[in-house]
Amino acid sequence: MARKSTKTSSAEGTVYALPEVLDLKAATPLAEKLMSLRGQNIVLDASKVERLGTQCVQILIAAAATWKDEMAAFSIAEPSDSFTSGLQVLGLTPQAILEKEVAQ
């Protein structure tokens, strides 16, 4: 199944639709995409996520910390059940990603 990520704008910032599969193969493209959006307020649309891997969770945590350091808005909108359950396996919630501190 082909998957597409989209980027739009809203009053809250740039909306980036996360791909359906966030596994090891998706980690590098996810990191590159987020870095290309650096400095902008961003809303991650997690409504279509069907699979979530640890590597992509780590990237999301690091991105949230980066946005926080740069005082830009970073949020996760409409997390799918699969996104939420993938986080729960790791003992996390969507809100926890936004609040995690990354060791320097």
Side-chain angles (χ1 to χ4, degrees):
M1 174 188 272
R3 55 191 157 102
K4 245 186 176 173
S5 298
T6 57
K7 183 177 88 165
T8 58
S9 290
S10 80
E12 298 173 3
T14 299
V15 178
Y16 174 61
L18 293 172
E20 292 175 9
V21 178
L22 289 170
D23 59 6
L24 181 59
K25 288 182 185 178
T28 298
L30 175 63
E32 290 171 351
K33 183 62 177 178
L34 290 174
M35 291 312 295
S36 76
L37 298 171
R38 192 170 174 178
Q40 301 176 40
N41 291 335
I42 188 169
V43 177
L44 299 179
D45 176 356
S47 63
K48 304 246 186 298
V49 176
E50 294 178 7
R51 193 169 358 137
L52 180 63
T54 305
Q55 298 83 1
C56 287
V57 172
Q58 290 172 326
I59 290 166
L60 294 175
I61 291 169
T66 298
W67 263 250
K68 185 177 181 179
D69 286 348
E70 294 178 355
M71 293 191 229
F74 185 94
S75 62
I76 298 171
E78 300 184 37
S80 68
D81 290 342
S82 296
F83 183 86
T84 301
S85 64
L87 291 175
Q88 287 173 342
V89 168
L90 301 171
L92 298 170
T93 64
Q95 188 60 33
I97 286 178
L98 303 176
E99 296 171 353
K100 287 287 180 187
E101 294 292 328
V102 177
Q104 301 279 337

